[in-house]
Amino acid sequence: MKGILATVIAAMLATAGLTAQTYKLPDRHAASHDNLLANQGNAGISVENTTKYLEELFNEEEEPEFDIYTEGWDSKRVNCYGNVSVPSSVQIDVSKFAMPHPGYITSPYGYRKRFRRMHKGVDLKVNIGDTIRAAFDGRVRITNFERRGYGNYVVLRHTNDLETVYGHLSGFLVEEGQYVKVGDPIALGGNTGRSTGPHLHFETRYMGYAINPCAIFDFANQTTHTDVFTFDKRTYQNARNFSPAANSEYARQYLKDNPNKPYVRQSNTGSSAHASTSSYRVRKGDTLSKIASRNGTTVARLCRLNGLTTKSKLSIGQRIKLR
């Protein structure tokens, strides 16, 4: 684990000097950055102390999630970019944003040598039941459950052509096809799937490419780096001026303001997430039995609510009332 942390920390420190995308903070962010950075200045955090603190943050790091765009159950349906030509570089407007949750980073984006896989997002500290919000305007493309990794997760397609993924949720507050505005509540923080404790797995993607969220968001200062993000196939995996020291200091303040709450590890059946939804859209291969099992109900109840029998044929796209 120490070897992995050393590699991750070295990469973080290296990216602090990244010059592939030079930038100037937009005026509307400058004041908030100055205030926050002033509070973090002279924090007295040495590299040694930062390394020790990061080890404490990452000591329960779990195996990276399977990539829902290329692996795991139903991946063909999830990955809709398989045969699409992706431009080498594109400008993406990220000026109208909301932080998905104010938690600090507990596990960064990057390759995990121990598991020989990429961690294609960042993990943010949450308590079970915390509100998770839409990062940008857009539409809910998927609400689903993946036992081996993401647990209950939501995928949003945004009007700026990005997609965001929110994993390990305890409850959904939206349904597939629903339009959401930036900052709208979409889910509740949780501990489902492959998770050692409550956290939000958060991904930012452009046409299937898993961008390092730290290239867009400055999590320690709860803002974006710039109003326009430049997606580039050569640099999309790089962070932009990520500071382990700033993240550590932000984590200390966050934990002071938001003390840890006791939690009970959630079931990996996915039923807790669906308890907040009132209907379900039938997918290929679904049966009444499968729908009932995934949503914490019974076939008899589904039949009664929807005027069905156990022999009724289901159609793809059909809405089934759950309660």
Side-chain angles (χ1 to χ4, degrees):
M1 184 66 190
K2 290 186 177 180
I4 298 170
L5 288 169
T7 302
V8 172
I9 293 164
M12 288 178 178
L13 295 174
T15 56
L18 184 66
T19 58
Q21 299 185 51
T22 57
Y23 69 99
K24 178 181 179 181
L25 284 173
D27 292 339
R28 69 188 196 83
H29 291 332
S32 61
H33 264 70
D34 289 344
N35 291 335
L36 287 162
L37 291 173
N39 291 334
Q40 292 168 0
N42 301 319
I45 303 175
S46 67
V47 172
E48 181 180 354
N49 288 339
T50 298
T51 301
K52 182 178 179 181
Y53 192 73
L54 286 172
E55 287 178 351
E56 293 173 356
L57 289 182
F58 299 163
N59 66 353
E60 290 188 340
E61 184 176 76
E62 183 56 273
E63 180 177 355
E65 293 82 356
F66 286 100
D67 186 353
I68 56 174
Y69 282 70
T70 60
E71 297 182 77
W73 77 280
D74 212 17
S75 63
K76 291 182 180 178
R77 185 177 183 278
V78 174
N79 183 10
C80 57
Y81 295 107
N83 298 314
V84 176
S85 177
V86 181
S88 296
S89 180
V90 66
Q91 301 286 308
I92 301 173
D93 184 356
V94 294
S95 60
K96 296 179 180 179
F97 73 95
M99 303 303 292
H101 187 272
Y104 57 90
I105 294 175
T106 61
S107 182
Y109 176 104
Y111 183 72
R112 298 294 184 266
K113 186 176 180 180
R114 176 183 176 187
F115 305 111
R116 292 180 290 182
R117 283 219 312 274
M118 281 287 292
H119 183 231
K120 295 190 175 182
V122 296
D123 291 344
L124 301 177
K125 175 64 179 176
V126 302
N127 285 308
I128 290 177
D130 283 357
T131 301
I132 308 302
R133 300 183 182 277
F136 308 101
D137 291 345
R139 193 172 298 278
V140 181
R141 186 159 74 82
I142 293 173
T143 60
N144 218 334
F145 175 72
E146 204 289 304
R147 181 180 59 82
R148 297 183 300 165
Y150 290 74
N152 298 304
Y153 67 92
V154 173
V155 179
L156 300 185
R157 170 76 58 81
H158 299 291
T159 54
N160 60 6
D161 294 326
L162 288 176
E163 286 195 333
T164 49
V165 181
Y166 310 77
H168 304 303
L169 308 170
S170 65
F172 298 141
L173 301 179
V174 292
E175 296 182 346
E176 291 180 0
Q178 180 178 338
Y179 187 82
V180 295
K181 299 292 289 183
V182 57
D184 280 353
I186 60 169
L188 301 176
N191 183 38
T192 57
R194 190 184 292 272
S195 171
T196 58
H199 71 278
L200 172 69
H201 176 78
F202 177 64
E203 296 182 11
T204 48
R205 290 181 178 257
Y206 176 69
M207 301 184 77
Y209 280 73
I211 299 165
N212 188 335
C214 290
I216 301 174
F217 291 95
D218 179 351
F219 291 95
N221 289 307
Q222 294 291 284
T223 187
T224 53
H225 291 291
T226 56
D227 283 343
V228 177
F229 166 69
T230 302
F231 168 81
D232 190 307
K233 285 184 176 179
R234 299 167 301 174
T235 61
Y236 72 94
Q237 293 184 326
N238 297 331
R240 180 185 290 187
N241 291 2
F242 178 83
S243 168
N247 184 58
S248 297
E249 182 61 20
Y250 179 70
R252 289 187 176 93
Q253 187 60 46
Y254 179 87
L255 289 172
K256 180 180 178 180
D257 297 337
N258 303 273
N260 285 321
K261 299 177 182 177
Y263 69 91
V264 177
R265 184 174 178 85
Q266 293 165 262
S267 166
N268 283 337
T269 63
S271 60
S272 60
H274 291 281
S276 60
T277 63
S278 59
S279 66
Y280 177 85
R281 183 178 295 170
V282 175
R283 301 169 183 165
K284 185 178 179 181
D286 275 341
T287 64
L288 286 174
S289 179
K290 287 182 179 179
I291 295 171
S293 176
R294 288 178 183 169
N295 292 279
T297 186
T298 64
V299 171
R301 180 174 175 79
L302 293 181
C303 289
R304 186 169 62 253
L305 289 172
N306 296 277
L308 301 172
T309 71
T310 56
K311 296 182 180 180
S312 295
K313 292 185 178 180
L314 302 180
S315 302
I316 296 176
Q318 179 181 349
R319 282 284 181 182
I320 300 294
K321 292 180 182 179
L322 300 177
R323 53 192 50 82

